[in-house]
Amino acid sequence: MLWSLLVFGAALITVNAKLPTPRTPPQVIFQSSVSLENIAVRASSDLLLTSFTSPILFTFNPKSTNGTLAPVHTFSNATTLTGITEYRPGVFAVLSSGLSATTSTMNLGSVFLWSVDFNARAPAVSVLGALPGSSGANGITTVPGHPNILLVADSFVGAIWQLDIATGAARLAIQDPALSAGAPPPAVGVNGIHVRDGYLYFTTSQTAVFGRVAFHVEGGNVSAAGAVQTLASLGDGQQPDDFVFDCERRAWVTVHPGELAVLEAPGHGSAGGWTQVAAVGNAAGSDADLVAPTSAKFGRGSEVEDKTLYVTTGAGQIVKIDSSEYN
């Protein structure tokens, strides 16, 4: 996310030399004139898309022959939409904000979390709460077992915000130097976040890290329960953005300038940190079918869709990938 603001970082990652060669190359199923930021998938298989350059939430039918982006809602007093996640069946949380043209950060007091409910005949939109102290609200994740908690990555503060959607109360839940960019904006720190098995997994763009931190919830408040762990560090000039886990517990990480890196945990046979076992596109960013990937989500509703990965890019592409060919 925040793809247009990223600054290059440098690091290393262990790469398996025997990367699989897919039979079917990635397919660009739509080219938009709007830069795409984040993606969510409805039970109907329709995609919900945000843009860093637009306050409009879009929908797209990936099964249509001549599909187009259709507007769902335009968020008032906003110029930017970043994170989106389904926090209840058919109900999605969306982050909106106003971007400062002079500082490249979000104006303090402009960041809001909204609910978009598709269970009604027409989508019902309402405010969940605000993050008045945030200047870089980015990825969002839910916390299993705690339906009123949403966590939000702040790429410029280098922290994780918590929003209680029952009360609208916001607080800083986790803040650590490992989540920061180590440089002032527009350098981007923590970016994509997802909760799995008691850990908050994350990427940091400036420092090119895929990592995690254990957390606990006490009295309705999230806090770290251990040190931040670096699981993998990507190579020179690589800028990880959002990511998604598959059913084999691999992480598919979107990486600027043009790669989707597949990372595997040590439990699958590799030693030490997580290992890159596959790659879509290339690290040099020269693949015209994957330009500045920003987010990825698996389809829903069938065995085929469950293995179909949809990727958005900063160049306005929606890319379809058969993940089963990377086993």
Side-chain angles (χ1 to χ4, degrees), residues 63-86:
K63 298 178 181 178
S64 60
T65 304
N66 297 301
T68 186
L69 293 186
V72 174
H73 182 78
T74 301
F75 291 87
S76 59
N77 301 317
T79 59
T80 292
L81 302 183
T82 48
I84 180 171
T85 192
E86 186 173 23

Side-chain angles (χ1 to χ4, degrees), residues 121-148:
R121 176 169 296 182
V125 179
S126 58
V127 175
L128 290 171
L131 299 177
S134 176
S135 61
N138 203 334
I140 314 176
T141 189
T142 57
V143 180
H146 300 275
N148 289 330

